[in-house]
């Protein structure tokens, strides 16, 4: 739009110069040629056709001298297309008699100067606009990178806090087990010994009540310790470490999509089966890929361990496979082993309680 406005201003100067002509036909023809040529340059902008149109229009000045009054418009288009030399044919008018008046030359010269000034202004503006656009894109890119970096940093910090929390829970569980648990156990033994050696009938009921209280406290402490210990188990980390032990032989991958509130007994079950499955793959598989998937669904959990090594029919379950079956049965789960020429597949599903 700014280019059209600039052309309109330059065209007014051309009209002023053409208006000093003695006849009407030549100026009108010159004006139509200039407007048609400038429109074509606008259409073919950035191509060789645009330069060809400017050359033709400037060459017409030799046939229609009054076209020289439209050189400012031609020059503006030529400068915009980076083809300033395309208006050189029009300079032949200056060395041949044309019948143009001195005032027309003066106005045309002024128009040429204004065309150069307007082009430099619009060119500088476009360069600044391009710089601003590049700077904006660069800032946007930096903001995206910074956002991703902050996200990774936040995830790393959250992971550190989570690991520290799990470590502290594990430490508290050990402290309770080693100190409070042992003291309660000793108190239970002492209460039992007192009940045996006691001869006073009046003390039997208080001693029995004391032993029951200690039993309840011991049960409560044991449940709390188990709960803390189960929460301190990072199942994903255990699976990653188990799978990483096979990195030298396999291209391994883990697809882990499970919530953090999984029961502790399931954590130990899945961890044990994955360890056993990876160990069996290292011993017996001739493949080069090992994939483990653990996913949670609304009503059940699914575990899949598969490699791409060829395997025949299992004639008799080994100790490792029986251990996996026992682990699955302990959590009311179903496990199957599927050998084939395409690999060995262990599939397990466990219903939620």
């Amino acid at each position: 739009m700014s280019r059209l406005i600039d052309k309109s201003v330059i065209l007014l100067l051309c009209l002023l110069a053409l208006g000093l002509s003695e006849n009407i036909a030549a100026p009108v023809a010159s004006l139509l040629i200039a407007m048609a040529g400038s429109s074509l340059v606008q259409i073919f902008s950035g191509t060789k056709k645009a330069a060809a149109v400017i050359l033709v229009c400037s060459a017409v000045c030799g046939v229609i001298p009054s076209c020289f009054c439209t050189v400012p418009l031609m020059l503006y288009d030529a400068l915009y297309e980076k083809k300033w030399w395309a208006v050189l044919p029009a300079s032949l008018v200056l060395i041949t008699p044309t019948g143009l008046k001195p005032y027309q030359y003066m106005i045309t010269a002024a128009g040429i100067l204004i065309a150069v000034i307007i082009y430099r202004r619009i060119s500088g503006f476009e360069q600044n606009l391009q710089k601003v656009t590049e700077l904006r894109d660069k800032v946007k890119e930096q903001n995206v990178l910074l956002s991703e970096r902050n996200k990774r940093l936040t995830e790393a910090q959250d992971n550190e806090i989570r690991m520290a929390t799990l470590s502290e829970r594990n430490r508290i569980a050990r402290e309770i087990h080693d100190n409070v648990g042992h003291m309660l156990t000793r108190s239970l033994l002492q209460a039992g010994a007192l009940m045996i050696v006691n001869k006073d009938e009046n003390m039997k009921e208080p001693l029995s009540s004391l032993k029951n209280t200690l039993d309840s406290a011991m049960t409560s402490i044991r449940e709390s310790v188990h709960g803390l210990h189960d929460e301190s188990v990072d199942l994903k980390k255990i699976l990653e470490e188990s799978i990483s032990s096979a990195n030298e032989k396999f291209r391994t991958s883990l697809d882990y999509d499970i919530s953090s509130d999984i029961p502790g007994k399931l954590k130990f079950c899945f961890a044990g089966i994955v360890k056993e499955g990876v160990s069996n793959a290292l011993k017996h598989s001739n493949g080069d890929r090992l994939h483990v998937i653990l996913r949670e669904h609304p009503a059940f959990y699914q575990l899949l361990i598969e490699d791409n090594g060829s395997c025949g029919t299992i004639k008799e379950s080994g100790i490792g496979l029986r251990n996996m079956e026992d682990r699955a049965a302990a959590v009311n789960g179903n496990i199957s082993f599927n050998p084939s020429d395409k690999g060995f597949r262990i599939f397990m599903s466990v219903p939620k309680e």
Side-chain angles (χ1 to χ4, degrees):
M1 181 61 68
S2 61
R3 186 176 177 184
L4 292 176
I5 295 174
D6 294 340
K7 284 186 176 185
S8 299
V9 173
I10 297 171
L11 185 61
L12 289 175
L13 292 172
C14 297
L15 284 172
L16 181 61
L18 289 171
L20 298 175
S21 300
E22 295 179 353
N23 54 27
I24 298 177
V28 171
S30 300
L31 180 62
L32 293 176
I33 292 172
M35 293 179 63
S38 184
S39 299
L40 289 174
V41 171
Q42 188 83 17
I43 295 172
F44 299 132
S45 181
T47 65
K48 294 181 179 179
K49 292 181 180 180
V53 171
I54 298 172
L55 278 171
V56 171
C57 291
S58 60
V60 170
C61 294
V63 180
I64 306 176
S66 59
C67 283
F68 183 76
C69 296
T70 63
V71 165
L73 185 60
M74 300 180 199
L75 179 61
Y76 179 81
D77 285 331
L79 291 173
Y80 202 92
E81 297 296 325
K82 304 293 189 295
K83 301 289 190 298
W84 61 268
W85 45 265
V87 299
L88 291 179
S91 62
L92 296 175
V93 175
L94 300 175
I95 59 177
T96 58
T98 60
L100 294 177
K101 297 179 180 181
Y103 288 110
Q104 289 179 301
Y105 284 112
M106 293 174 62
I107 294 173
T108 301
I112 291 173
L113 179 61
I114 291 174
V116 173
I117 293 173
I118 291 177
Y119 167 74
R120 289 180 64 85
R121 177 186 63 81
I122 193 66
S123 177
F125 173 77
E126 289 180 350
Q127 289 178 0
N128 291 334
L129 180 61
Q130 183 178 0
K131 290 180 181 178
V132 170
T133 303
E134 292 176 354
L135 180 61
R136 182 198 63 190
D137 294 340
K138 186 176 181 180
V139 170
K140 186 180 294 185
E141 182 181 359
Q142 292 295 328
N143 287 337
V144 172
L145 293 176
L146 182 61
S147 178
E148 292 178 353
R149 190 175 300 171
N150 288 339
K151 182 179 179 181
R152 290 195 298 268
L153 180 61
T154 302
E155 291 175 352
Q157 290 175 342
D158 292 343
N159 187 58
E160 289 180 1
I161 293 173
R162 179 170 173 272
M163 295 304 296
T165 303
L166 295 178
S167 178
E168 182 64 15
R169 286 178 177 176
N170 202 17
R171 185 191 66 81
I172 294 173
R174 287 197 306 269
E175 291 292 333
I176 294 175
H177 178 269
D178 294 341
N179 296 322
V180 180
H182 288 171
M183 285 188 291
L184 284 174
T185 300
R186 185 171 60 185
S187 298
L188 280 169
L189 293 175
Q190 290 174 348
L194 288 175
M195 290 178 65
I196 294 174
V197 300
N198 176 55
K199 303 297 183 181
D200 189 350
E201 294 292 333
N202 295 327
M203 292 297 297
K204 287 185 177 181
E205 184 176 350
L207 289 174
S208 177
S209 177
L210 174 62
K211 187 175 184 301
N212 292 334
T213 302
L214 291 175
D215 281 332
S216 298
M218 189 65 180
T219 301
S220 178
I221 289 294
R222 186 180 294 109
E223 291 175 352
S224 298
V225 170
H226 287 170
L228 286 172
H229 181 64
D230 291 347
E231 291 180 1
S232 68
V233 175
D234 188 346
L235 178 58
K236 184 177 182 181
K237 184 177 181 180
I238 293 175
L239 298 186
E240 288 175 345
E241 291 177 352
S242 299
I243 296 172
S244 64
S245 64
N247 285 341
E248 293 184 1
K249 181 177 180 180
F250 298 100
R251 294 197 303 273
T252 60
S253 62
L254 171 64
D255 185 352
Y256 186 91
D257 183 13
I258 199 167
S259 62
S260 59
D261 58 350
I262 179 174
K265 61 181 180 180
L266 285 181
K267 290 183 180 180
F268 294 114
C269 175
F270 289 139
I273 290 178
V274 170
K275 287 183 179 180
E276 188 66 38
V278 172
S279 177
N280 287 345
L282 286 171
K283 292 178 182 177
H284 306 296
S285 176
N286 58 359
D288 60 356
R289 290 194 306 274
L290 179 65
H291 187 41
V292 177
I293 300 175
L294 180 58
R295 288 178 180 164
E296 180 179 0
H297 299 278
F300 57 93
Y301 300 95
Q302 281 186 336
L303 173 64
L304 173 66
I305 308 171
E306 61 180 353
D307 61 75
N308 63 338
S310 59
C311 181
T313 304
I314 301 176
K315 296 181 179 179
E316 183 179 356
S317 296
I319 296 177
L321 299 184
R322 286 200 299 270
N323 286 340
M324 285 190 274
E325 290 175 343
D326 292 340
R327 288 181 182 273
V331 293
N332 297 321
N334 295 316
I335 190 169
S336 61
F337 309 104
N338 303 302
S340 69
D341 294 337
K342 297 181 179 179
F344 188 75
R345 189 169 183 264
I346 302 173
F347 181 77
M348 175 182 174
S349 63
V350 182
K352 290 186 176 180
E353 295 181 354

